[in-house]
């Protein structure tokens, strides 16, 4: 079964204890790895998993890159459920109860709620995508060219694959098989998936039961949601901007306690804000002006310079 040497061969070739242990371990791992991969290929729920990278004794990047903190382990558990196809969505519920359960996403009512829909297009998670998908894309663009990105990631399935198991991208030769690169992508995508999960839990807890919360799918609701999706697609790049705080890079600035870092604040703001103003609009200008005033008045030591700078922005 394990293709180990026949006993007559053992008499002819004298294996040392270490050689024999190494040989048996290698043969055993190879046998069960092949068996594992064959069985995984038959499971439709494992379509997002990089099956060719599975192996006995090989830790998947989801767990190889996670720390020992409770929060990180929770993120890894959620990511593993998505990776193995056991993250429960409407498409799964419908499969087991087709007569009573609607597979359409209860949040946006546009299409079947499967993993690809949740991670790439569902309107409920738009702010999370704006805040957390951009770092993943920017990191990928630092590795590959923009042309290569457009070629390989022009559809939702490819983007979903990148977020769920980036090893698939490595197997296609799009990015190098570098543990450091894979680890960074995995860390960012793990946070992304967990934030999606948290949003779904919060939304589910504050809404009505399934039987009463689903709106009637009338032509008006269909038209409204399709318009929202169209606006999202048209203005995604324009909305995908962190607040601009004027004067942050002025070399002559005297800071009270050192130059502030708004990375965490920006991410939280992008996730939780309820409005997305178009670039260049009056609303966007006012939004940036308020952020600039907060930064200037809180962190700069000379208030006169602050007031002069704000007036200059308003009346250039």
């Amino acid at each position: 079964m394990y293709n180990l040497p026949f006993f007559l061969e053992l008499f002819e070739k004298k294996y040392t204890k270490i050689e024999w242990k190494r040989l048996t371990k290698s043969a055993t791992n190879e046998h069960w790895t092949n068996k594992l991969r064959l069985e995984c290929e038959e499971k439709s729920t494992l379509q997002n998993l990089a099956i060719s990278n599975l192996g006995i004794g090989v830790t998947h990047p989801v767990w190889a890159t996670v720390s020992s903190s409770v929060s990180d382990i929770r993120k890894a558990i959620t990511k593993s459920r998505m990776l193995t196809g056991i993250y429960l969505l409407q498409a799964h519920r419908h499969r087991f109860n087709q007569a009573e359960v609607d597979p359409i996403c209860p949040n946006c009512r546009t299409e079947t709620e499967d993993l690809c829909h949740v991670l790439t297009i569902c309107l409920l998670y738009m702010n999370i995508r704006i805040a957390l998908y951009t770092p993943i894309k920017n990191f990928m663009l630092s590795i590959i060219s923009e042309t290569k990105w457009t070629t390989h990631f022009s559809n939702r399935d490819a983007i979903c694959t990148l977020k769920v198991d980036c090893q698939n991208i490595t197997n296609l030769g799009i990015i190098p098989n570098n543990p450091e690169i894979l680890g960074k992508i995995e860390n960012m995508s793990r946070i992304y998936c967990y934030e999606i999960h948290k949003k779904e839990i919060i939304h589910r807890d504050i809404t009505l039961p399934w039987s009463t919360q689903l709106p009637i799918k009338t032509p008006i609701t269909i038209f409204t949601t399709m318009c929202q999706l169209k606006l999202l697609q048209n203005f995604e790049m324009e909305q995908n901007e962190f607040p601009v705080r004027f004067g942050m890079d002025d070399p002559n600035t005297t800071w009270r306690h050192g130059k502030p870092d708004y990375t965490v604040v920006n991410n939280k703001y992008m996730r939780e804000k309820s409005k997305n103003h178009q670039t260049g609009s009056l609303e966007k200008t006012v939004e940036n002006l308020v952020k600039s005033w907060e930064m200037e008045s809180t962190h700069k030591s000379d208030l006169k310079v602050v007031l002069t700078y704000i007036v200059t922005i308003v009346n250039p």
Side-chain angles (χ1 to χ4, degrees), residues 244-258:
V244 177
R245 293 172 176 83
F246 305 103
M248 282 284 291
D249 299 322
D250 187 353
N252 299 320
T253 299
T254 303
W255 302 101
R256 292 181 180 177
H257 307 289

Side-chain angles (χ1 to χ4, degrees), residues 43-254:
K43 310 295 183 183
S44 60
T45 54
L46 301 179
Q47 59 183 352
N48 293 314
L49 183 65
I51 296 175
S52 60
N53 294 82
L54 294 177
I56 303 298
V58 179
T59 305
H60 192 278
V62 170
W63 294 105
T65 59
V66 73
S67 69
S68 58
S69 68
V70 175
S71 60
D72 269 5
I73 292 175
R74 286 175 179 169
K75 294 181 179 70
I77 291 173
T78 301
K79 181 73 178 294
S80 297
R81 290 171 58 201
M82 293 182 178
L83 185 64
T84 53
I86 61 173
Y87 189 78
L88 195 59
L89 297 168
Q90 283 299 99
H92 303 112
R93 296 185 180 96
H94 174 73
R95 187 179 303 173
F96 294 102
N97 192 357
Q98 297 183 10
E100 298 181 6
V101 178
D102 186 359
I104 302 300
C105 177
N107 303 314
C108 63
R109 303 298 295 166
T110 56
E111 61 181 14
T112 299
E113 187 192 43
D114 55 14
L115 188 61
C116 184
H117 170 80
V118 169
L119 294 182
T120 60
I121 199 171
C122 185
L123 292 172
L124 177 65
Y125 314 109
M126 181 179 67
N127 287 339
I128 296 176
R129 283 196 297 274
I130 291 174
L132 299 180
Y133 171 59
T134 303
I136 299 176
K137 181 179 178 180
N138 290 340
F139 180 71
M140 287 292 294
L141 289 175
S142 69
I143 303 172
I144 62 176
S145 64
E146 190 166 351
T147 303
K148 197 171 184 180
W149 169 269
T150 305
T151 302
H152 294 285
F153 297 98
S154 58
N155 60 81
R156 291 189 297 162
D157 291 333
I159 294 175
C160 180
T161 300
L162 171 64
K163 295 174 182 177
V164 177
D165 193 351
C166 56
Q167 290 185 118
N168 288 303
I169 310 301
T170 301
N171 295 338
L172 295 175
I174 300 175
I175 60 175
N177 188 10
N178 185 316
E180 184 177 350
I181 293 176
L182 293 178
K184 190 162 185 177
I185 297 175
E186 175 57 41
N187 284 328
M188 290 188 290
S189 63
R190 184 166 57 236
I191 295 172
Y192 177 89
C193 292
Y194 187 66
E195 291 299 323
I196 293 282
H197 170 68
K198 285 202 305 182
K199 179 74 172 181
E200 192 274 334
I201 293 295
I202 294 172
H203 183 74
R204 184 180 62 190
D205 289 344
I206 64 176
T207 50
L208 298 175
W210 290 104
S211 59
T212 58
Q213 77 177 41
L214 299 181
I216 300 174
K217 195 173 181 181
T218 63
I220 295 178
T221 58
I222 295 175
F223 176 75
T224 302
T225 51
M226 292 307 294
C227 287
Q228 290 173 330
L229 283 175
K230 188 64 177 177
L231 288 173
L232 172 62
Q233 293 169 354
N234 290 342
F235 297 111
E236 184 178 11
M237 294 305 297
E238 295 178 340
Q239 294 170 347
N240 192 12
E241 292 183 355
F242 288 119
V244 177
R245 293 172 176 83
F246 305 103
M248 282 284 291
D249 299 322
D250 187 353
N252 299 320
T253 299
T254 303

